[in-house]
Structure formats: C-alpha cells, structure tokens
Amino acid sequence: MLRKLKPEFDFTLRHRGFQIHPDWPAEGMPAEQWRTDMDPKTREALWERIGAMGAAAGVEMKAPRTLANSMLALQAGEFATEAGVAEAFEERVFRAYFSEGLNIGKREVLLDLGVQVGLDRVALGEALDSGKYAMRIKNNGMSASQKGISGVPTFLIGDWPLVGAQSEDVMRRVLQRARDVLDASK
C-alpha cells in the first residue's frame, strides 16, 4: 500500500526486517502450539481481525497452519535487496505465507520463491547457508526494540510510528501530515 503512494509523496522506503518470534523452532511449529492457553474462539477472532486489517489494506491474510521461524526469510530478503528485487521478493514471501500456507522458514521454499522473482538459486542458497545476513537481522531487532517497536508492520514516518496494516487513505493522511510538518519547519 505504501509503495503506491511513493510517486505522490516522493519518499524513500527502507525495509528493516527483524524476528518477532526468534524462539520459534527453525522448522516452524503447528499454529495451535502457539499460546496454548488461548481459547480456540479467541484465536479465531484474532485471525479474523488480522484478516480484516489486511483486507482493508488490500492484502489477503489467512491464518497459517504452520508458524514459520522468519530468520531465513529475513536473510533471503536482505539478499533480494542487494540483488535489486526486494519489493518483488517481499510480496512473494508474504503471499506464500499468508495466502498459500507455505512454511517460509524452510530453505527450499525460499529458494523456490527466490527463483520466481529472478534470484539465482545457487547464490541465494550459499548466502543462506553462510548466515551472511544473520547479524544484520539481529541488529535490526535490537534497534526496533530500542525504539519500542515490537510488531510488524511498523512504519516510521519521520519519528512517528504507524503500527499495523493500514488502508491507503490512512497512509495518505499520515504522509500528508508529515509533509505539512516538514513544510512548516522550512
């Protein structure tokens, strides 16, 4: 959604991925194992709310059956950024996880998704195997924590955080407000 507004507002979008649940197993886990104290109806209502927020932003989001550990996906995203296909890769991974139910914590899934957006399978595999981007992801997490960010997506527009999937209208109003403040300070 935010990318659609770039021509209108002329801003730079920088993605900084970090793990929200680094404690989840590398292979992922069945969704029902997360927060076992949560009533199934509450879990269902939570995902309905998340799905509705996504729909408001024009994004399909279904409750995943397997909760993926995102470390490899985030590292693959860094690789995609350096290869110049960050946006396409992020969108493909998001759709794979939230619409198609794929486990984006699995190396082979990420390699397949990478190839679909034009990444070299061997080079991506080597980057994932080396852990080349792991420290960057951990540093992003520390930086987010220092800023009080604990959820995704969070957009920092200037110093203002905007948390959660937002409609195009909300994003437009926030960007306009930020532009007005910048113009007034000149």
Side-chain angles (χ1 to χ4, degrees), residues 104-124:
I104 60 164
K106 291 191 172 187
R107 181 183 183 277
E108 291 303 313
V109 169
L110 292 168
L111 295 177
D112 291 344
L113 297 174
V115 167
Q116 291 171 22
V117 300
L119 292 174
D120 179 271
R121 184 182 194 90
V122 173
L124 175 57

Side-chain angles (χ1 to χ4, degrees), residues 1 6 18 21 32 34 49 51 55 57 60 65 93 100 102 106 117 139 159 169 178 182:
M1 191 60 57
K6 282 176 73 171
F18 70 96
H21 299 287
E32 59 273 2
W34 178 68
R49 182 172 165 257
E60 178 185 26
R65 291 185 180 149
V93 169
E100 300 166 18
L102 298 178
K106 291 191 172 187
V117 300
N139 287 340
D159 291 330
D169 183 55
L182 283 173

Side-chain angles (χ1 to χ4, degrees), residues 53-117:
M53 287 189 318
V59 177
E60 178 185 26
M61 294 181 70
K62 298 177 189 172
R65 291 185 180 149
T66 300
L67 300 177
N69 181 306
S70 62
M71 181 53 110
L72 278 182
L74 292 167
Q75 291 180 66
E78 293 294 323
F79 180 86
T81 297
E82 289 183 3
V85 295
E87 185 174 326
F89 185 73
E90 289 168 19
E91 288 175 9
R92 184 63 191 104
V93 169
F94 187 90
R95 191 172 71 247
Y97 187 59
F98 287 110
S99 298
E100 300 166 18
L102 298 178
N103 183 345
I104 60 164
K106 291 191 172 187
R107 181 183 183 277
E108 291 303 313
V109 169
L110 292 168
L111 295 177
D112 291 344
L113 297 174
V115 167
Q116 291 171 22
V117 300

